[in-house]
Amino acid sequence: MFQHHRSIARQSPAEAVTALPTDAIVGRETHENAPAVVIRADRVQSALSTLRSEAGFDHCSCVTAQEYEDRFETIYHLTSYDDRTRELSVVVPTAKDDPISESATPVYRTAAWHEREAYDLVGIEYEDHPDLRRILLPETWQGHPLSLDYDQTRPQIVPLSEHANPLQEDHREGPDTMHINIGPHHPSTHGVLHLNVELDGETIADVEPDIGYIHRCEEQMCQQGTYRHQIMPYPDRWDWGGAGLLNEWAYARVIEDLAGIDVPEYAQVVRTMSAELSRILSHLLFTAMYALDVSGEFNATFMYGFRDRELVQDLLEDLTGQRMMFNYFRIGGVAWDLPEPRDGFLEDVRAFTNDLPQKLAEYHDLLTSNEVFQARCVDTGELPPAVAKQYGATGPVARASGIDYDLRRDDPYGYYDRLEWNVITRDGCDNFARVLVRLQEIEESAAIIQQCVDLLSDWPEADRTCQANVPRTLKPSGECYRAVEGAKGELGIYIRADGTDAPARFKIRGPSFSNLSALPAMAEGEYVADLVATLGSLDTIMGEVDR
């Protein structure tokens, strides 16, 4: 059985709140899985600084903004990289007619993008924010789409304007700087992404990711759907790289917690096996595409990656009936059992995992042992662990910076805590380390899959229950933030359930959103030739960033 990697004697989240000044606390709330403290809007920075420095809450995993009939509210979902089971929700209410709050950005750098999104979509303003402007919508947009009084019929005018020099206000530009646009339709950006780049010679003086080109109002659409059937098809579309089953699990986990649904053990094994196949699907896409990002000469790696992806997609198509948008998970379990003939399907899975070691050796020969690849990736795109934590980096990006953080182990779900596997970390902190982590994670995923196949082969037929007995209409109440270890990192969902059959608030925490926000810290001061390699190493999927 897998054992947790460390035991830390720390205060419980409820005890940690006692370190806060009493005049900062407005009240207490109870959220599912995490206590909640309500603080004053003008004491955000001091309260969060105390929780970070004295209570060890060094990971601001998500920021949720929402509007009630009588107030606005920001929720900072805090946890610890050292102990993921310690969770605390910091709730900051603001007046309905004057929604202004202190910014958390001076405490958690990752809050900069999250608060910009809160301002953009909900309308809360944050004092002392270093760059409070819209992030997903154009600056000329009228209204805030997730506010209660938003007029969806109002026409919008988005004028064409020149791209401004991002260094202009800092007065750092000189006669040798040059502003260039990368994107918004550049093939190496893994989606529609625009980078504002300022060059000082060949050195990057500033880079600013410009996102929102494929913002599709996913949160609003989920808020209009019912829990039981209408929301589950959406998560697959947040990450078209193949990690859809991991996204489905994120939604299933949060609503199962809210509704108090216990998933049958057999369904947990099927979920774990299929999720790891989905993870391999995503990591193979990264390997194939990153080879082209770094050098167009690595066409063989690209073809090998897609060859092996097709094998995984064949397996998942047999299991789910879909090749990409799987829609296989259900609240309380999975849609159906393994395909018939059952033994034949399990043997096909075994054959794939048995062939992986030889194929991974080929990837190492083609890429990680290649002198050109090493020259492009070693010591470029460096992300020290302290900086990675400030930006809320998770997944392979964090683990390649030596951060030993994986929700499958640190906040166990599914069948992971009853299987033998390892969390892969590297101390290189560079583009090369991020490639190595993902290739090694494919090996660990294969080990998990093989153990699941052995369990499923011997499972008594009478006990193969695929779904719990879930009510036809779900009407839970409460608030809950839950996350799973997605292919790119921590994929979290916050739901505020108000007793109806649809969520009052549905917030998606895409790991690529926080990971991408760290790009300026990784790229500034490096050569422009390394920028695409650094961007590609983040393995961002823009559907997950923009939502």
Side-chain angles (χ1 to χ4, degrees):
M1 183 182 296
F2 188 85
Q3 298 294 324
H4 196 281
H5 65 307
R6 52 198 179 277
S7 176
I8 297 175
R10 279 192 181 274
Q11 294 175 310
S12 70
E15 293 171 335
V17 172
T18 60
L20 295 175
T22 55
D23 64 340
I25 300 175
V26 177
R28 307 284 182 103
E29 294 181 1
T30 301
H31 292 189
E32 190 75 24
N33 306 315
V37 57
V38 185
I39 65 172
R40 288 169 40 180
D42 61 348
R43 300 296 298 275
V44 171
Q45 292 175 16
S46 60
L48 294 183
S49 294
T50 299
L51 291 171
R52 180 184 176 89
S53 60
E54 298 186 22
F57 289 101
D58 59 346
H59 179 28
C60 180
S61 59
C62 184
V63 179
T64 299
Q66 54 188 337
E67 182 182 4
Y68 292 81
E69 293 295 337
D70 61 341
R71 69 187 186 281
F72 286 85
E73 193 174 86
T74 305
I75 305 175
Y76 297 92
H77 305 275
L78 306 183
T79 185
S80 168
Y81 279 102
D82 287 335
D83 186 356
R84 184 56 176 76
T85 61
R86 298 177 67 245
E87 297 182 66
L88 178 66
S89 297
V90 178
V91 182
V92 185
T94 58
K96 183 79 170 183
D97 58 350
D98 191 22
I100 300 177
S101 173
E102 269 191 354
S103 172
T105 304
V107 184
Y108 299 102
R109 190 66 182 84
T110 188
W113 272 29
H114 287 277
E115 288 176 346
R116 284 181 60 188
E117 182 183 341
Y119 163 71
D120 192 359
L121 301 185
V122 180
I124 301 175
E125 297 186 19
Y126 297 90
E127 290 183 329
D128 300 326
H129 191 286
D131 187 23
L132 189 62
R133 54 194 172 90
R134 294 186 183 271
I135 189 170
L136 297 174
L137 300 174
E139 276 298 305
T140 56
W141 200 265
Q142 301 297 307
H144 305 279
L146 290 181
S147 62
L148 297 181
D149 61 353
Y150 180 68
D151 182 5
Q152 296 187 9
T153 65
R154 182 173 185 171
Q156 299 287 346
I157 300 176
V158 182
L160 177 65
S161 57
E162 295 181 3
H163 297 299
N165 180 345
L167 292 179
Q168 190 168 358
E169 293 184 2
D170 298 341
H171 303 291
R172 287 190 286 142
E173 77 279 11
D176 296 328
T177 62
M178 178 176 65
H179 179 244
I180 64 172
N181 294 294
I182 299 180
H185 296 292
H186 195 284
S188 71
T189 56
H190 300 238
V192 187
L193 171 66
H194 169 223
L195 296 181
N196 273 308
V197 182
E198 194 70 19
L199 299 181
D200 183 0
E202 294 186 26
T203 302
I204 296 173
D206 187 87
V207 56
E208 179 187 304
D210 178 19
I211 66 176
Y213 287 89
I214 51 173
H215 176 56
R216 296 159 293 166
C217 307
E218 291 277 358
E219 294 177 2
Q220 189 178 56
M221 289 190 292
C222 289
Q223 288 172 193
Q224 295 171 348
T226 56
Y227 292 111
R228 182 72 191 276
H229 297 296
Q230 293 181 341
I231 295 177
M232 188 59 82
Y234 286 118
D236 285 303
R237 289 152 177 83
W238 305 340
D239 183 347
W240 52 72
L245 291 175
L246 301 164
N247 297 6
E248 293 175 23
W249 205 340
Y251 170 62
R253 191 180 189 202
V254 68
I255 194 60
E256 286 160 2
D257 275 11
L258 274 173
I261 296 170
D262 293 324
V263 180
E265 189 174 4
Y266 177 77
Q268 295 282 28
V269 180
V270 176
R271 280 183 171 186
T272 303
M273 178 191 70
S274 61
E276 291 309 306
L277 285 169
S278 192
R279 190 182 312 279
I280 291 176
L281 196 63
S282 177
H283 283 359
L284 285 174
L285 177 64
F286 162 79
T287 306
M289 297 304 300
Y290 193 63
L292 293 187
D293 286 348
V294 171
S295 174
E297 297 176 358
F298 291 116
N299 283 314
T301 308
F302 175 81
M303 292 186 288
Y304 279 29
F306 270 82
R307 173 202 65 183
D308 295 334
R309 267 178 59 86
E310 288 295 305
L311 299 175
V312 184
Q313 287 186 290
D314 287 342
L315 297 172
L316 289 176
E317 184 177 11
D318 288 344
L319 176 64
T320 70
Q322 299 290 335
R323 202 161 184 84
M324 286 294 291
M325 305 302 168
F326 305 110
N327 192 21
Y328 178 62
F329 282 32
R330 295 291 183 271
I331 296 172
V334 294
W336 46 70
D337 202 350
L338 306 183
E340 296 291 347
R342 178 189 181 86
D343 291 341
F345 173 77
L346 293 175
E347 190 56 40
D348 288 342
V349 178
R350 280 197 186 96
F352 170 74
T353 56
N354 288 339
D355 289 343
L356 264 181
Q358 179 183 352
K359 293 177 178 179
L360 288 170
E362 292 175 339
Y363 287 116
H364 284 292
D365 288 341
L366 287 166
L367 284 184
T368 61
S369 300
N370 185 287
E371 186 176 335
V372 174
F373 188 83
Q374 292 178 5
R376 293 293 308 277
C377 296
V378 174
D379 295 333
T380 60
E382 293 186 339
L383 183 64
V387 178
K389 290 180 179 181
Q390 266 289 333
Y391 281 93
T394 55
V397 173
R399 292 190 285 273
S401 293
I403 300 173
D404 194 7
Y405 182 77
D406 190 310
L407 271 71
R408 294 172 293 176
R409 176 200 61 196
D410 299 339
D411 186 17
Y413 57 95
Y415 219 75
Y416 289 111
D417 58 345
R418 285 169 278 188
L419 303 174
E420 295 285 345
W421 59 283
N422 298 306
V423 173
I424 303 299
T425 60
R426 287 272 175 174
D427 295 327
C429 306
D430 57 8
N431 294 332
F432 194 68
R434 290 185 275 276
V435 175
L436 292 176
V437 164
R438 290 187 179 93
L439 288 174
Q440 289 183 267
E441 284 190 359
I442 293 176
E443 296 180 40
E444 295 302 320
S445 292
I448 293 171
I449 292 167
Q450 288 173 335
Q451 294 173 74
C452 290
V453 168
D454 292 340
L455 289 167
L456 294 171
S457 297
D458 300 331
W459 209 279
E461 186 174 355
D463 295 334
R464 295 173 188 169
T465 305
C466 293
Q467 289 189 37
N469 187 15
V470 180
R472 180 181 296 272
T473 302
L474 290 173
K475 294 184 177 181
S477 296
E479 299 181 52
C480 182
Y481 173 79
R482 267 305 199 194
V484 301
E485 187 64 36
K488 277 72 174 173
E490 180 177 333
L491 176 64
I493 295 175
Y494 164 83
I495 288 180
R496 173 165 60 89
D498 58 359
T500 64
D501 63 352
R505 182 70 172 100
F506 191 102
K507 166 66 180 176
I508 305 164
R509 191 268 188 202
S512 293
F513 184 81
S514 293
N515 291 347
L516 180 59
S517 71
L519 180 64
M522 301 166 67
E524 288 176 19
E526 296 197 336
Y527 290 113
V528 65
D530 300 322
L531 177 58
V532 171
T534 298
L535 174 63
S537 76
L538 294 174
D539 192 21
T540 54
I541 292 289
M542 296 311 296
E544 185 186 88
V545 175
D546 293 344
R547 285 155 282 127

